[in-house]
């Protein structure tokens, strides 16, 4: 059994909201303020902070045991995070909670979650819906991953599931559109 890795990319409409969200998550993980204090402190910049604080307190009343949230970097308004730790159930629950909350923010256009390990899968949140794609359930995704890694389809790993859904699994149409 291999280690489960969870990561996600959030695409914001503006940089101000992205930075406010990053600071809220970092402050929460630092644990110097309660979630209630944080949601009050961030209420002007991040109106959705209270909703997340309530969900986090309900889901993790004793705090997170061993799970960490790491900001991996950004490219303008696309922010990348990873979730680490030893407890796979806690990691998955936290990731779903964060991604669902982020996807419902007015300032967010898209969230793409990636799970790798024994169960390679993507979850795409956009336009008010959530789509899950598992590599082992739809073999066509393997061809897409190979095309991306061979640079035949020159896109980010996070763009693969979005394009897969957009082109309904038609790799050739995606390659023609993305290269043209």
């Amino acid at each position: 059994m291999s280690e489960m890795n969870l990561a996600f990319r959030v695409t914001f409409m503006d940089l101000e909201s992205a930075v406010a969200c990053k600071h809220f998550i970092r402050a929460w993980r630092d644990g110097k303020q309660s979630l209630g204090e944080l949601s009050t402190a961030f209420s002007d910049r991040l109106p959705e902070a209270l909703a997340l604080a309530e969900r986090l307190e309900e889901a993790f009343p004793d705090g997170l045991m061993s799970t960490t949230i790491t900001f991996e970097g950004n490219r303008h308004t696309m922010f990348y995070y990873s979730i680490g730790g030893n407890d796979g159930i806690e990691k998955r629950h936290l990731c779903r909670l964060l991604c669902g909350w982020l996807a419902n923010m007015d300032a967010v256009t898209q969230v793409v979650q990636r799970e790798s390990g024994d169960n390679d899968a993507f979850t795409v949140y956009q336009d008010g819906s959530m789509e899950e794609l598992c590599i082992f359930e739809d073999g066509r995704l393997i061809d897409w991953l190979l095309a991306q890694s061979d640079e035949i389809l020159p896109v980010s790993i996070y763009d693969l599931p979005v394009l897969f859904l957009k082109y309904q699994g038609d790799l050739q149409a995606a390659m023609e559109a993305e290269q043209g």
Side-chain angles (χ1 to χ4, degrees), residues 6-179:
L6 289 168
F8 59 95
R9 178 186 73 187
V10 185
T11 306
F12 291 88
M13 293 171 77
D14 60 84
L15 197 54
E16 183 179 343
S17 298
V19 171
C21 187
K22 178 183 95 170
H23 289 184
F24 178 82
I25 290 171
R26 180 181 294 153
W28 171 61
R29 285 303 303 145
D30 289 346
K32 295 176 183 164
Q33 292 178 293
S34 72
L35 283 167
E37 291 170 331
L38 281 174
S39 60
T40 300
F42 279 83
S43 62
D44 290 343
R45 295 186 294 159
L46 200 59
E48 296 92 344
L50 181 59
L52 177 63
E54 289 170 353
R55 285 183 180 168
L56 289 171
E57 284 182 339
E58 183 180 305
F60 306 104
D62 299 324
L64 294 174
M65 299 302 182
S66 65
T67 303
T68 60
I69 305 167
T70 304
F71 173 69
E72 299 291 347
N74 69 292
R75 299 185 87 198
H76 193 55
T77 59
M78 286 186 253
F79 279 54
Y80 298 83
Y81 294 88
S82 63
I83 298 185
N86 298 325
D87 186 338
I89 294 171
E90 185 177 85
K91 284 182 356 182
R92 186 176 280 133
H93 188 56
L94 175 63
C95 193
R96 291 263 178 190
L97 199 149
L98 279 173
C99 289
W101 171 72
L102 287 162
N104 286 309
M105 287 179 61
D106 291 339
V108 171
T109 59
Q110 181 185 81
V111 178
V112 178
Q113 174 187 328
R114 180 178 183 213
E115 179 178 329
S116 57
D118 287 338
N119 181 35
D120 289 346
F122 294 97
T123 305
V124 178
Y125 302 82
Q126 80 180 8
D127 301 325
S129 68
M130 177 185 86
E131 295 281 340
E132 294 180 316
L133 301 169
C134 180
I135 291 170
F136 301 113
E137 291 175 11
D138 191 332
R140 296 177 298 169
L141 274 171
I142 293 171
D143 294 334
W144 283 68
L145 285 167
L146 292 172
Q148 190 266 343
S149 67
D150 291 342
E151 298 182 6
I152 297 168
L153 184 60
V155 297
S156 156
I157 191 74
Y158 290 98
D159 293 326
L160 281 182
V162 175
L163 294 173
F164 185 87
L165 292 169
K166 179 179 178 179
Y167 294 103
Q168 299 175 340
D170 186 342
L171 179 57
Q172 191 60 41
M175 289 190 309
E176 289 170 8
E178 294 305 309
Q179 292 176 353

